[in-house]
């Protein structure tokens, strides 16, 4: 937003393209000069609308300051040479020399003032900078150099009135700046928007409609109707709508075209400003007032809406930034909460694991001793006392069951030595499916879907324990008839989250899913089902070590667990094993 009008005519990159641009600018300037003489008012010997001043102001605004004088001098000499060639010697006078000097002087002064005091005039973003554009670019400089222009005409025409010359000259140049410079400033910033959008075509059709209305307004002579004097101001409706709907580029263009039509018809003494008691000078002044009103309305409305739009964009950007900050903080809090839960779970597992390891180690020693002495006692009791032998067998059986429980605790606490192998999961399930069916009742249907041929690295005994424990858990959840579904498939995980360990994991996994249509698990209990000795079964129907054994084995092979359950509908437990290749990379 600093020094918004781009300076693309610079001394350090002056080339044939820029030279060609300046030649084209001079040709356009001369064309606008000829257009200005179409609006020549014979009674005052001066043009009533001088668009060439708007072109010169814009030209100096887009040119580096050190090139102003060379361009102004070359344009000044070229302008006067053309005037000398096209006019006879007796008609070429001091008026042309001073008038041309006034035009270039006011443009240079206006450009310097705007560059010095008004930075944001690229798209007339704020009311303040638009006011500075009007005051510095259109009024101050034209008032100063309009005096020179009026004097040049006054000296060469003895019957002319200086004040009328000054007002007409200054107003014509000021209107030229207000009408053409904004159009050039607005459109040069929209060249990168080509080709046109649908709204551009809509704006062109609207401009054509407005020009037709302007033509009928000013081509009709309203000399016999004083009230008809107000009709042209109804065209403000078009100006206001274009400012709201199409922004600056079409609003300024429409204002320029309406002004050209209005001034053309007024100079031919046609239109609503022509009355029986008006002189041509008064008609022109009325038209200039009308043009000044519509140009100022266009500038004011366009600026207001641009400023409002800019504030809305800043407000939206601020809200977006605030929303992003809130989202980031929310995400950080969520991640912190997940990390805390993960840490709490890890600490709980570690604590229980350490406790289990200590208990398991001591009990394992005691049970080993008990089993050993029981075996010795059985050997001594052989053939002597059958009743004593029966009791010893019961003691040995109970101790063996206790040792199996201790083995599960040692798996959970990762105290047991493992022998991992590469296993084809699909083949593993298919070979043991009949063995797994033996542990299920006849009222439970077992469905197996295996689509994965990928291999995983795990101890086969441990994998057997995982499947058996999950199947037993699913069997016990079903009362009466039911279905257990076992699925083995390849899964590519992207930001998948375990609701047990709260970990987010990615990569290629082999997923074992065991799903039942049993009682389901209450949501508040899901976080506890993998804890040792936790069970929802009745007293004496479970040790609470089945799922904790699964958890210990899965954790040992860097697997992940996800549990989904709904009371009354069933439970789904998914175990994710890293594929063999990724397991090696992770290792």
């Amino acid at each position: 937003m600093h020094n918004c009008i781009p300076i693309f005519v610079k001394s350090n990159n002056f080339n044939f393209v820029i030279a060609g641009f300046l030649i084209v600018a001079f040709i356009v300037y001369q064309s606008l000069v000829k257009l200005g003489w179409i609006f020549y008012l014979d009674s005052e010997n001066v043009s009533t609308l001088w668009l060439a001043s708007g072109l010169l102001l814009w030209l100096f605004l887009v040119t580096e300051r050190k090139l102003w004088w060379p361009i102004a001098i070359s344009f000044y000499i070229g302008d006067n040479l053309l005037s000398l060639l096209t006019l006879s010697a007796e008609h070429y006078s001091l008026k042309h020399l001073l008038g041309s000097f006034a035009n270039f002087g006011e443009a240079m002064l206006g450009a310097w003032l705007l560059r010095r005091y008004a930075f944001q005039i690229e798209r007339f973003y704020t009311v303040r900078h638009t006011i500075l554009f009007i005051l510095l670019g259109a009024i101050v400089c034209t008032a100063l150099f309009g005096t020179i222009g009026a004097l040049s005409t006054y000296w060469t025409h003895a019957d002319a009135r200086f004040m009328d010359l000054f007002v007409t000259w200054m107003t014509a140049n000021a209107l030229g700046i207000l009408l053409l410079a904004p159009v050039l400033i607005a459109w040069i910033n929209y060249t990168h928007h080509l080709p046109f959008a649908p709204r551009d075509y809509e704006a062109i059709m609207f401009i054509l409609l407005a020009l037709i209305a302007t033509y009928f307004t000013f081509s009709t002579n309203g000399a016999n109707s004083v009230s008809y004097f107000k009709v042209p101001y109804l065209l403000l409706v078009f100006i206001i709508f274009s400012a709201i709907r199409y922004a600056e580029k079409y609003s300024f263009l429409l204002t320029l075209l309406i002004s050209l039509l209005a001034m053309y018809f007024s100079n031919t003494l046609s239109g609503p400003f022509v009355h029986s008691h008006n002189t041509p000078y008064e008609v022109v002044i009325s038209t200039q007032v009308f043009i000044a009103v519509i140009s100022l309305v266009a500038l004011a409305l366009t600026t207001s809406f641009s400023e409002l739009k800019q504030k809305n964009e800043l407000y939206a950007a601020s809200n977006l930034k605030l929303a992003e900050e809130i989202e980031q903080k929310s995400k950080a809090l969520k991640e912190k909460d997940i990390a805390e839960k993960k840490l709490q779970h890890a600490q709980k597992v570690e604590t229980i694991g350490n406790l289990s390891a200590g208990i398991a180690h001591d009990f394992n020693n005691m049970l080993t001793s008990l089993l050993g002495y029981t075996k010795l006692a059985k050997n001594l009791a052989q053939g002597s006392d059958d009743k004593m032998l029966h009791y010893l067998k019961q003691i040995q059986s109970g101790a063996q069951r206790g040792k199996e429980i201790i083995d599960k605790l040692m798996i959970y606490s990762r105290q047991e030595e493992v022998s991992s192998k590469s296993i084809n999961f699909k083949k593993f399930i298919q070979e043991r499916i009949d063995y797994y069916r033996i542990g299920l009742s006849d009222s439970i249907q077992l469905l197996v879907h295996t689509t994965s041929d990928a291999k995983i690295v795990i101890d086969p005994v441990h994998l057997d324990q995982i499947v058996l424990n999950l199947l037993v858990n699913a069997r016990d959840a079903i009362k009466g008839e039911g279905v257990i579904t076992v699925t083995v498939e390849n899964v590519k995980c992207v930001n998948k989250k375990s609701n047990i360990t709260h970990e987010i994991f990615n990569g290629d996994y082999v997923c074992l899913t065991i799903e039942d249509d049993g009682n389901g698990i209450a949501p508040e209990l899901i976080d506890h089902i993998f804890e040792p000795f936790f069970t929802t079964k009745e007293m004496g129907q479970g040790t609470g070590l089945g799922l904790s054994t699964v958890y210990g084995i899965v954790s040992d092979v860097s697997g992940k667990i996800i549990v989904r359950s709904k009371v009354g509908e069933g439970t789904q437990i998914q175990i994710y094993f890293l594929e063999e290749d990724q397991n090696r990379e992770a290792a």
Side-chain angles (χ1 to χ4, degrees):
M1 296 272 207
H2 305 288
N3 287 326
C4 293
I5 297 180
I7 299 176
F8 58 84
V9 181
K10 299 180 181 179
S11 58
N12 58 355
N13 64 347
F14 197 90
N15 51 35
F16 289 109
V17 175
I18 294 178
F21 165 77
L22 293 176
I23 291 172
V24 171
F26 180 75
I27 294 172
V28 174
Y29 171 75
Q30 288 300 318
S31 300
L32 292 176
V33 169
K34 300 302 179 185
L35 179 64
W37 292 122
I38 293 176
F39 304 129
Y40 189 76
L41 185 62
D42 292 329
S43 62
E44 305 299 330
N45 295 293
V46 69
S47 176
T48 55
L49 183 60
W50 197 255
L51 294 176
S53 58
L55 175 68
L56 287 177
L57 176 64
W58 172 80
L59 179 62
F60 287 122
L61 283 173
V62 298
T63 303
E64 192 177 3
R65 191 177 300 175
K66 64 174 64 175
L67 293 177
W68 285 6
W69 281 108
I71 292 175
I73 292 172
S74 58
F75 270 45
Y76 179 76
I77 294 173
D79 182 46
N80 281 279
L81 284 175
L82 285 176
S83 298
L84 186 60
L85 292 173
T86 55
L87 297 174
S88 57
E90 60 270 17
H91 289 93
Y92 183 78
S93 62
L94 181 65
K95 172 186 175 181
H96 298 90
L97 289 170
L98 292 178
S100 183
F101 171 76
N103 287 331
F104 287 101
E106 70 184 12
M108 289 178 65
L109 176 63
W112 181 83
L113 290 173
L114 289 174
R115 282 291 181 194
R116 178 67 178 82
Y117 297 105
F119 298 112
Q120 293 172 297
I121 56 174
E122 177 186 5
R123 290 182 58 191
F124 301 93
Y125 281 109
T126 65
V127 174
R128 173 180 173 271
H129 289 95
T130 299
I131 292 174
L132 287 173
F133 172 78
I134 295 169
L135 291 176
L136 302 180
I139 295 178
V140 173
C141 57
T142 54
L144 292 174
F145 285 90
T147 305
I148 298 175
L151 285 173
S152 66
T153 304
Y154 181 72
W155 288 334
T156 55
H157 296 78
D159 57 338
R161 292 170 295 179
F162 175 77
M163 187 53 64
D164 290 347
L165 284 173
F166 173 75
V167 171
T168 308
W169 181 293
M170 174 186 167
T171 306
N173 283 27
L175 291 178
I177 291 172
L178 290 177
L179 291 173
L180 188 58
V183 172
L184 296 174
I185 291 171
W187 276 86
I188 196 173
N189 293 296
Y190 280 89
T191 53
H192 61 283
H193 286 193
L194 296 174
F196 288 155
R199 179 167 288 196
D200 292 298
Y201 294 106
E202 176 192 326
I204 292 171
M205 296 302 296
F206 179 79
I207 288 175
L208 290 175
L209 177 64
L211 292 179
I212 292 172
T214 305
Y215 173 81
F216 284 108
T217 300
F218 281 92
S219 62
T220 305
N221 198 326
N224 298 322
S225 176
V226 177
S227 61
Y228 194 60
F229 182 86
K230 302 175 183 178
V231 170
Y233 289 93
L234 294 176
L235 296 173
L236 281 170
V237 174
F238 291 98
I239 302 295
I240 295 170
F241 183 83
S242 65
I244 297 172
R245 175 75 174 166
Y246 307 117
E248 61 264 34
K249 62 175 182 175
Y250 288 114
S251 177
F252 295 155
L253 180 61
L254 177 60
T255 304
L256 171 63
L257 296 176
I258 289 177
S259 300
L260 288 172
L261 278 178
M263 188 57 75
Y264 172 78
F265 283 112
S266 293
N267 272 268
T268 58
L269 298 181
S270 177
F273 296 127
V274 179
H275 301 283
S276 57
H277 57 277
N278 286 138
T279 63
Y281 173 74
E282 292 172 332
V283 172
V284 167
I285 290 297
S286 298
T287 307
Q288 287 180 329
V289 170
F290 165 74
I291 293 173
V293 169
I294 64 172
S295 62
L296 292 175
V297 167
L299 281 168
L301 285 177
T302 301
T303 300
S304 299
F305 283 109
S306 293
E307 187 171 6
L308 181 62
K309 182 180 178 181
Q310 186 187 27
K311 288 180 178 178
N312 287 339
E313 289 175 352
L314 291 173
Y315 179 73
S318 176
N319 284 347
L320 181 62
K321 185 178 180 181
L322 180 61
E324 288 176 351
E325 290 178 355
I326 292 173
E327 185 179 357
Q328 289 175 356
K329 289 182 179 179
S330 176
K331 186 178 179 181
L333 289 173
K334 189 175 180 181
E335 290 175 351
K336 182 181 177 183
D337 183 56
I338 291 173
E340 288 178 350
K341 286 182 178 179
K342 187 176 177 181
L343 178 61
Q344 290 172 1
H345 182 81
Q347 289 174 340
K348 180 172 67 176
V349 168
E350 184 181 8
T351 301
I352 296 175
N354 291 334
L355 178 62
S356 301
I359 294 172
H361 186 268
D362 292 339
F363 268 84
N364 190 53
N365 291 336
M366 288 188 288
L367 288 172
T368 300
S369 176
L370 180 61
L371 285 168
Y373 282 112
T374 303
K375 187 177 180 181
L376 290 174
K378 279 176 63 182
N379 291 334
L380 291 174
Q382 288 287 343
S384 58
D385 189 347
D386 292 338
K387 195 172 184 180
M388 177 66 71
L389 189 62
H390 173 72
Y391 290 150
L392 288 173
K393 285 182 179 179
Q394 291 297 319
I395 293 171
Q396 187 180 35
S397 177
Q400 189 63 42
R401 285 196 300 271
K403 194 171 188 312
E404 289 173 1
I405 293 174
I406 294 303
D407 290 340
K408 290 181 179 180
L409 279 174
M410 293 183 74
I411 290 173
Y412 178 81
S413 59
R414 303 182 187 180
Q415 297 290 318
E416 185 186 58
E417 292 185 6
V418 296
S419 178
S420 297
K421 297 179 181 179
S422 176
I423 297 175
N424 185 309
F425 208 157
K426 177 180 178 181
K427 186 177 179 181
F428 181 88
I429 293 293
Q430 289 174 342
E431 289 176 349
R432 287 165 172 73
I433 192 64
D434 292 334
Y435 169 67
Y436 295 146
R437 290 183 194 275
I438 296 172
L440 304 179
S441 65
D442 294 336
S443 61
I444 296 176
Q445 184 181 4
L446 179 63
L447 303 178
V448 179
H449 304 287
T450 54
T451 60
S452 171
D453 285 317
K455 293 182 178 181
I456 63 173
V457 178
I458 193 171
D459 188 322
V461 176
H462 286 177
L463 183 57
D464 223 7
Q465 286 181 306
I466 290 174
V467 178
L468 277 172
N469 280 316
L470 292 178
L471 286 174
V472 169
N473 205 64
R475 178 200 66 188
D476 294 342
I478 297 174
K479 305 301 181 184
E481 295 183 352
V483 178
I484 298 175
T485 305
V486 178
T487 305
V488 178
E489 59 186 340
N490 292 338
V491 177
K492 188 174 184 64
C493 298
V494 178
N495 293 330
K496 209 166 189 67
K497 181 183 176 183
S498 167
N499 62 335
I500 302 301
T501 61
H502 307 286
E503 292 177 285
I504 295 175
F505 55 99
N506 298 277
D508 297 321
Y509 286 80
V510 179
C511 178
L512 167 67
T513 303
I514 295 184
E515 185 174 2
D516 66 70
D517 57 358
N519 294 331
I521 305 170
E524 64 272 13
L525 299 180
I526 288 178
D527 286 341
H528 303 286
I529 61 175
F530 292 98
E531 295 175 2
F533 307 112
F534 179 86
T535 180
T536 57
K537 299 174 186 177
E538 295 179 4
M539 184 69 70
Q541 292 188 3
T543 62
L545 288 172
L547 289 181
S548 63
T549 301
V550 171
Y551 179 86
I553 296 171
V554 172
S555 299
D556 197 44
V557 296
S558 301
K560 313 297 176 186
I561 303 175
I562 295 178
V563 179
R564 297 183 181 91
S565 186
K566 193 169 183 180
V567 176
E569 295 185 8
T571 301
Q572 180 193 76
I573 297 180
Q574 292 180 313
I575 311 295
Y576 290 84
F577 299 95
L578 276 170
E579 289 187 8
E580 183 179 15
D581 294 340
Q582 289 214 350
N583 199 307
R584 287 173 180 170
E585 291 174 6

